[in-house]
Amino acid sequence: QVLLVESGGGLVQAGGSLRLSCAASGRSFSRNFMGWFRQAPGKEREFVAAIAWGGQKTIYADAVKGRFTISRDNAKNRMYLQMNSLEAADTAVYYCAGGVVADASRPYGYNYWGQGTQVTVSV
């Protein structure tokens, strides 16, 4: 089995920061990217950021570029999302995902997903 577990969500005031973590456990799995997606109530799941498991290639959604930073530690099977200058529009459940994907900005190719962690930004 493959298990991805997000942590670090919570309630934060607008302008504040949170750091999300995604820990992988269980059997190893093939991946070329890991990514973060988010989903607000009544809205489709949207791409946030992705990072190559080899090298340093990163991809960011326009809405978070310059505010969020994705990173990973291959040896620890962990991925992180540093979120700064949070806005009300960032309120959502954040999911981590991994897999071998052709387009890391789309959710369809990811094989493994976490349970999500709630991020709520108050104004």
Side-chain angles (χ1 to χ4, degrees):
Q1 294 182 341
V2 174
L3 180 64
L4 302 179
V5 179
E6 303 94 336
S7 62
L11 176 65
V12 64
Q13 291 186 345
S17 298
L18 285 173
R19 185 175 186 251
L20 305 184
S21 297
C22 175
S25 62
R27 71 171 179 86
S28 62
F29 66 98
S30 297
R31 77 199 88 168
N32 62 343
F33 280 89
M34 292 194 72
W36 290 95
F37 293 79
R38 66 188 183 186
Q39 188 166 22
K43 297 185 178 180
E44 295 182 348
R45 187 167 298 189
E46 67 173 346
F47 171 72
V48 177
I51 186 167
W53 209 242
Q56 298 297 317
K57 184 177 181 179
T58 57
I59 307 169
Y60 293 94
D62 289 342
V64 307
K65 195 172 298 181
R67 299 188 297 118
F68 292 9
T69 302
I70 190 170
S71 61
R72 52 96 177 104
D73 187 331
N74 299 50
K76 296 181 179 179
N77 272 331
R78 286 184 179 270
M79 180 178 63
Y80 308 94
L81 185 68
Q82 179 67 46
M83 305 185 295
N84 298 326
S85 301
L86 284 162
E87 305 168 354
D90 297 317
T91 295
V93 177
Y94 284 70
Y95 299 89
C96 68
V100 179
V101 299
D103 184 351
S105 68
R106 302 182 69 85
Y108 311 108
Y110 289 95
N111 299 113
Y112 304 102
W113 293 84
Q115 84 290 348
T117 185
Q118 177 71 48
V119 172
T120 302
V121 183
S122 64
V123 297

